[in-house]
Amino acid sequence: MLSRIRGALLAPGVAAVMAILIAAIALLISRNNPLTAFSAMWDNISNAESVVLIINRAVPYYVSGVAVAIGFKMNLFNIGANGQYLLAALIAAWAGSQVTLPAPLHVTFILAVAVVVGAAWASIAAILKVTRNVNEVISTIMLNFIATGLVAFLLTEQFRERDTGSLIAQTPTLPPSARLPHLDWLITWTGIDLGNARLLGFLPIAIAIGVAYHLLLNRSRFGYELRLSGLNPEAARAAGVNPKAMVFKTIVLSGAIAGLIGMHSLLADPQFYKYGDQFPRMLGFTGISLALLGRNHPAGVAAAALVWAMIERATQPLSRIGIPQEIGVIMQGAFLLTAIIAYEVVKRRNDANAAAQAAAMSQSVTTAEPPHTAQLPGGGS
Amino acid sequence: MDSTAAYAIELRDIVKRFPGVVANDGVNLSVRSGTIHAIVGENGAGKSTLMKTLYGAHQPDEGMILVNGEPQRFRSPRDAIALGIGMVFQHFMLARNFTVWENIVLGQEPRRRGRLDISGAKRSLDELGQRYGLDVRPDDLIADLGVGEKQRCEILKVLYRGAKILILDEPTAVLVPQEVDELFASLRELVAAGSTVIFISHKLDEVLRHADAITVIRAGKTVGEISDPHSVTARDLAEMMVGSQLPTPETRTSTVTTHRALEVRELTVAPEPGSIKDRVAKVSFEVHRGEILGIAGVEGNGQSELVAAIMGLEDSVGTVLVDGLDINRLSTMQRKARGIGYIPEDRQQNGLALELPLWENAALGHQHSEPYAKGRWMNRSGARQRTREIVRRFDVRTPSIDVPAFALSGGNQQKLVVGREMMSEPKVLLASHPTRGVDVGAQAVIWDILRDARSAGLATLLISADLEELIGLSDRLLVMLRGQIVAELDPATVTPAMLGSYMTGVH
């Protein structure tokens, strides 16, 4: 078990070192001192407040990563998580503001609306794929544009808050019954001072999504058939899996989870509690990188989301000391690329070892025991 | 290059180790120039390691390689190609959506004035083809070709790159007898023109008929070098390969009953788009309890579609009954639940997910039934337990049930597939090429399994390109040609040659 974890961490470890080196080179080329930059970055993440802020930032990333990962497991590329979550967040924000319900029900209602909208929007791509064989990469990218336009239209024409006379288009702010309480007590209870940071309340739901994803993928029949379809669609078909139904269900499921990406901001972040022009707009694309980096593994994607958030948090103060903040994006990109290469190298090594072991096994048996009855029908085979 | 050297290739005491295993432990090989040389051995004996050494895919840890009498070191396949060594792989490496000539010149395109010299490429191809009797039409699409033609393309590809020493990995595994004869006729032409051919095979008859010399490998060592194939029999060779005496084939008594386990009535599979010929045309037959019904036919005459239609994987018209019950409207999964076992023709493509561990592969196709599943959830401990049983009962040689399926040799993969189907105790078994590409040991195990199941009452539909296997195992034989059943033969009286002529429609 320990050696397996060590093996799993080897590739990302190497990739992290490479990413730091590449970032250092980029800093040197742009005539900045890498050491100054790195120490400023470290200072900005090495305190309890920052850790909480990193977790807050990582939570929606994680949901996004899981949404994309579930499609990847079947070789389906849901590039449309972005459109799915924006539309879901807008409609859920509006629907939530139109009802009066007790707290747990209110939150559940909004989550359900988001899931349904995300799934419904994704189902367009799923139907196109299943009936007309339209590549889901193309259709989901196109649907992103349509979703963005649709969100802008709905927000300005239908769902905006009317009675305030405000010029800003935004949905009505959700009442307290629709908000997820923060979790500071989890940390302050240990005596750690959090400063101004709050641990936002969507974290348990994100963890539940991760656990559900794990159970579905690795313990359920559906997950088995999903992985099978991804690894070898022909064999899956021969094993009685209906490929079209599988494609449909997977895209819709990915969309359903994508619908939840915006819920952290909507239900748990005091900055929002509504959908407006400040609402995060690109979370769905980040999920693609995170699914790749985390190898579609429930824990791997979580680690990737934390690293991503950490890099972003770390590079925030750089512009104040005259170093371009974009170094963070360079680090993220370099990390992703080198990690993918490193994964492949490690995988090939492991594969070769497994094959050699099995070969050793069959040989040692061949020489140790009398071989099995070899018969030659009709004097030759 | 010194073409007058006595030996085109010599390997001396080659040792190749992998972590935890010595794959080659003293292999010697001497291939005379201008001969056809066969290498035989069970799967796992170290043949593929040897091939890779010859082809420069890896370097041996010890020993020497001499090419035309000169010691050589191959750092990569490029070095081997530069010395005129070309490899024809068992699994074709051709781009399906490219034409024949495009595939052959790919990577070494002839240019004229900076542009691709298409007519020049086709011309040199025609010349090569005519000289060696390797008949191909340069403008055909690879996807439209039969196995034999694809193989000719692979050989031409190697020749086009100037190879004088050709290595062929199980070249006849996928061919029918007539194609095999054509292949060896071409190889003869090549040898007559000064080339040297090395081939690996499981088919001992063919080795004896066509090879000028034979090297036998067992457990990573050379155990026999036969310079005159006429001095040995297939039996001698087989005994050298497995290292012990073989039992004589037992005579079998018929276990056929009158109970119809599988009935197929007027089954028709519609033509492919662009064609007007039904792929399966009104085929009717029945398989009884305790009977093995063999279907012979040149590949591509509707056998695969017939099996796919019975499994519900291909749309069809007609009736299929299992134990008298109509299964036409059932899904593949429901058909399996009705007691149809299925050994697909290509285990890697249809029978396994190579990256999954063995225990998850054992559940493949049975993921809805005990002990692999409990309702909507997989039953991990049940599946693992059952897999251990399969591994034990069907002699799957593996370090554990957690290794990925790709780590196993072809024979062991196939035993896993066969075992998995047998463990669910089907009433009807559709066995497509059950021993294709497996070694003699595994082949014998699989034959035994099929025979035992037959005596226990299983109705088996056997489709195979191995005519000896068909004749040896079947109680009745049908011949399929262009989607139709054209003959019913008695395996007790038919010879492979006769069968071959029925299969090609000469009869």
Side-chain angles (χ1 to χ4, degrees):
Chain A
M1 189 66 200
L2 258 176
S3 72
R4 258 184 65 197
I5 291 173
R6 212 178 308 140
L9 290 181
L10 178 66
V14 170
V17 173
M18 291 297 293
I20 290 170
L21 280 176
I22 290 169
I25 292 168
L27 285 166
L28 283 173
I29 291 172
S30 61
R31 290 167 208 281
N32 290 295
N33 185 347
L35 292 179
T36 322
F38 290 148
S39 78
M41 285 166 74
W42 176 249
D43 286 345
N44 202 43
I45 55 172
S46 53
N47 55 66
E49 185 182 341
S50 283
V51 170
V52 167
L53 291 174
I54 288 168
I55 291 172
N56 285 344
R57 193 182 263 274
V59 161
Y61 287 174
Y62 180 59
V63 180
S64 179
V66 170
V68 176
I70 204 160
F72 276 171
K73 269 287 175 190
M74 229 188 99
N75 292 332
L76 290 169
F77 291 73
N78 179 10
I79 311 297
N82 215 61
Q84 290 147 20
Y85 98 81
L86 286 177
L87 200 61
L90 171 69
I91 295 177
W94 176 78
S97 69
Q98 303 300 306
V99 295
T100 313
L101 288 166
L105 278 182
H106 205 164
V107 170
T108 314
F109 169 73
I110 294 173
L111 291 174
V113 171
V115 164
V116 169
V117 173
W121 193 249
S123 75
I124 300 173
I127 290 167
L128 286 172
K129 170 118 186 157
V130 170
T131 61
R132 312 302 311 166
N133 204 18
V134 177
N135 188 310
E136 79 284 357
V137 176
I138 311 287
S139 61
T140 52
I141 288 175
M142 304 282 213
L143 283 164
N144 275 341
F145 289 107
I146 301 174
T148 311
L150 191 59
V151 163
F153 164 78
L154 288 175
L155 184 60
T156 50
E157 303 296 329
Q158 306 292 327
F159 296 159
R160 77 187 292 174
E161 194 171 18
R162 303 222 174 255
D163 33 352
T164 56
S166 157
L167 289 175
I168 302 163
Q170 57 187 31
T171 60
T173 304
L174 292 173
S177 64
R179 300 175 191 173
L180 288 166
H182 66 76
L183 304 166
D184 288 355
W185 51 271
L186 266 178
I187 294 165
T188 44
W189 173 77
T190 61
I192 298 170
D193 176 28
L194 281 183
N196 293 323
R198 335 219 66 176
L199 183 60
L200 302 182
F202 198 73
L203 180 64
I205 298 181
I207 292 172
I209 290 171
V211 172
Y213 171 59
H214 164 71
L215 290 177
L216 183 82
L217 201 63
N218 298 317
R219 295 287 186 271
S220 79
R221 213 172 66 191
F222 175 80
Y224 175 78
E225 294 185 342
L226 188 147
R227 286 183 291 131
L228 192 59
S229 306
L231 289 170
N232 187 347
E234 289 281 315
R237 208 167 91 82
V241 179
N242 178 344
K244 287 188 171 179
M246 215 57 213
V247 165
F248 185 84
K249 287 182 201 167
T250 305
I251 296 181
V252 170
L253 189 62
S254 173
I257 298 171
L260 294 171
I261 296 171
M263 292 303 103
H264 165 83
S265 305
L266 183 68
L267 304 179
D269 192 338
Q271 276 188 65
F272 301 106
Y273 296 139
K274 60 180 172 265
Y275 188 97
D277 56 354
Q278 297 296 309
F279 204 81
R281 312 187 80 87
M282 294 304 220
L283 298 174
F285 294 117
T286 311
I288 300 168
S289 306
L290 299 182
L292 285 171
L293 196 53
R295 309 195 76 191
N296 307 323
H297 189 283
V301 177
L306 285 170
V307 168
W308 226 242
M310 187 180 78
I311 294 174
E312 286 172 2
R313 169 76 188 156
T315 49
Q316 268 171 1
L318 289 186
S319 52
R320 258 182 278 139
I321 56 171
I323 294 170
Q325 215 179 317
E326 283 68 28
I327 199 66
V329 181
I330 292 177
M331 276 178 97
Q332 288 177 334
F335 187 40
L336 180 59
L337 278 177
T338 48
I340 289 169
I341 294 167
Y343 286 146
E344 190 57 32
V345 172
V346 170
K347 179 182 176 302
R348 285 189 189 172
R349 203 194 56 183
N350 291 347
D351 287 0
N353 281 347
Q357 250 187 28
M361 178 72 188
S362 79
Q363 273 186 13
S364 66
V365 177
T366 311
T367 46
E369 268 179 19
H372 281 262
T373 52
Q375 303 185 343
L376 301 168
S381 71
Chain B
M1 210 160 36
D2 180 9
S3 58
T4 57
Y7 293 105
I9 296 243
E10 273 180 276
L11 298 183
R12 292 195 193 144
D13 300 319
I14 296 288
V15 176
K16 178 70 190 172
R17 299 183 197 89
F18 293 108
V21 57
V22 186
N24 280 174
D25 185 15
V27 170
N28 286 288
L29 176 70
S30 305
V31 182
R32 286 188 169 279
S33 297
T35 60
I36 298 182
H37 193 108
I39 299 174
V40 298
E42 280 200 279
N43 271 0
K47 283 176 309 189
S48 29
T49 306
L50 179 63
M51 297 310 258
K52 284 184 180 159
T53 305
L54 272 176
Y55 186 57
H58 59 216
Q59 290 188 13
D61 297 314
E62 289 172 29
M64 239 168 57
I65 306 173
L66 287 85
V67 180
N68 296 315
E70 301 279 329
Q72 300 285 354
R73 279 190 85 75
F74 302 147
R75 282 178 304 271
S76 75
R78 206 174 283 270
D79 292 352
I81 296 168
L83 283 168
I85 300 176
M87 176 91 191
V88 177
F89 294 94
Q90 186 184 0
H91 297 283
F92 302 137
M93 308 210 167
L94 298 164
R96 284 173 55 81
N97 51 351
F98 273 26
T99 61
V100 169
W101 75 265
E102 286 171 330
N103 263 288
I104 290 171
V105 304
L106 192 66
Q108 249 189 32
E109 301 85 353
R111 291 203 176 80
R112 207 174 51 181
R113 278 182 268 129
R115 296 174 61 184
L116 184 57
D117 181 10
I118 298 176
S119 60
K122 289 187 192 168
R123 212 175 322 114
S124 53
L125 215 71
D126 279 337
E127 266 170 43
L128 271 180
Q130 266 166 21
R131 192 167 345 138
Y132 302 116
L134 293 161
D135 217 5
V136 291
R137 285 180 300 275
D139 288 312
D140 282 357
L141 208 59
I142 293 293
D144 299 335
L145 300 187
V147 198
E149 287 166 303
K150 281 187 196 155
Q151 186 175 55
R152 289 199 282 273
C153 291
E154 285 282 3
I155 296 174
L156 280 170
K157 214 161 87 179
V158 174
L159 293 176
Y160 183 81
R161 279 154 184 71
K164 300 293 282 176
I165 302 168
L166 276 79
I167 309 169
L168 295 94
D169 190 5
E170 295 198 33
T172 62
V174 290
L175 304 181
V176 293
Q178 280 78 359
E179 287 178 315
V180 170
D181 291 340
E182 282 171 30
L183 170 68
F184 280 105
S186 297
L187 295 181
R188 271 290 154 218
E189 295 284 329
L190 277 169
V191 166
S195 296
T196 305
V197 172
I198 302 170
F199 76 101
I200 289 187
S201 182
H202 282 125
K203 300 186 182 170
L204 303 182
D205 276 355
E206 171 184 299
V207 167
L208 289 172
R209 198 165 334 127
H210 298 291
D212 299 319
I214 304 167
T215 297
V216 185
I217 295 177
R218 184 176 74 236
K221 290 188 176 63
T222 299
V223 292
E225 298 191 82
I226 297 145
S227 52
D228 178 17
H230 298 294
S231 64
V232 291
T233 64
R235 239 186 126 64
D236 297 336
L237 274 185
E239 286 180 1
M240 270 194 233
M241 278 164 67
V242 298
S244 72
Q245 293 271 309
L246 297 168
T248 45
E250 54 188 302
T251 46
R252 300 181 297 134
T253 49
S254 174
T255 55
V256 182
T257 64
T258 54
H259 178 91
R260 291 174 189 165
L262 174 71
E263 264 186 276
V264 172
R265 288 192 204 139
E266 305 232 311
L267 194 72
T268 298
V269 176
E272 269 183 290
S275 160
I276 50 159
K277 249 194 133 40
D278 285 337
R279 280 175 287 171
V280 177
K282 294 198 172 174
V283 165
S284 302
F285 59 82
E286 64 258 12
V287 191
H288 303 92
R289 271 178 64 89
E291 179 182 44
I292 297 181
L293 175 66
I295 292 197
V298 177
E299 239 168 291
N301 276 279
Q303 306 95 310
S304 309
E305 289 83 359
L306 173 67
V307 171
I310 298 173
M311 278 315 292
L313 295 167
E314 185 91 62
D315 288 336
S316 61
V317 186
T319 315
V320 181
L321 304 153
V322 171
D323 270 349
L325 292 171
D326 193 334
I327 60 163
N328 274 16
R329 292 177 179 283
L330 302 185
S331 68
T332 302
M333 189 49 89
Q334 288 165 323
R335 289 178 197 219
K336 296 201 78 152
R338 282 290 170 86
I340 306 187
Y342 177 37
I343 300 170
E345 62 181 20
D346 184 332
R347 59 183 163 269
Q348 304 211 342
Q349 214 170 67
N350 306 104
L352 295 165
L354 292 174
E355 278 136 276
L356 292 183
L358 298 193
W359 68 270
E360 287 198 300
N361 270 295
L364 216 159
H366 305 277
Q367 70 269 23
H368 286 231
S369 46
E370 300 266 356
Y372 300 107
K374 260 188 204 148
R376 302 190 150 271
W377 298 93
M378 298 300 286
N379 177 357
R380 286 158 75 93
S381 59
R384 295 175 64 89
Q385 186 58 41
R386 174 62 70 93
T387 309
R388 271 186 220 108
E389 219 173 313
I390 294 173
V391 164
R392 202 183 59 241
R393 271 192 32 195
F394 298 96
D395 187 37
V396 182
R397 291 170 190 181
T398 175
S400 87
I401 58 168
D402 292 305
V403 299
F406 66 72
L408 299 195
S409 70
N412 284 308
Q413 288 176 349
Q414 189 71 358
K415 282 186 277 186
L416 180 76
V417 170
V418 174
R420 164 180 89 197
E421 296 308 310
M422 289 307 180
M423 285 300 273
S424 67
E425 296 176 349
K427 294 175 193 150
V428 174
L429 179 71
L430 308 182
S432 283
H433 307 281
T435 64
R436 173 176 280 177
V438 311
D439 57 279
V440 250
Q443 190 174 42
V445 172
I446 292 168
W447 285 338
D448 282 345
I449 297 170
L450 294 178
R451 284 197 196 102
D452 291 349
R454 167 182 170 274
S455 349
L458 182 70
T460 305
L461 183 66
L462 173 69
I463 289 171
S464 180
D466 182 340
L467 303 186
E468 304 279 0
E469 172 175 276
L470 273 176
I471 294 171
L473 286 178
S474 304
D475 294 298
R476 277 189 302 140
L477 266 175
L478 301 179
V479 181
M480 242 182 129
L481 179 65
R482 295 187 202 102
Q484 289 171 311
I485 304 285
V486 291
E488 174 164 351
L489 303 167
D490 180 359
T493 56
V494 78
T495 64
M498 275 167 69
L499 203 48
S501 62
Y502 276 106
M503 284 160 61
T504 45
V506 181
H507 210 88

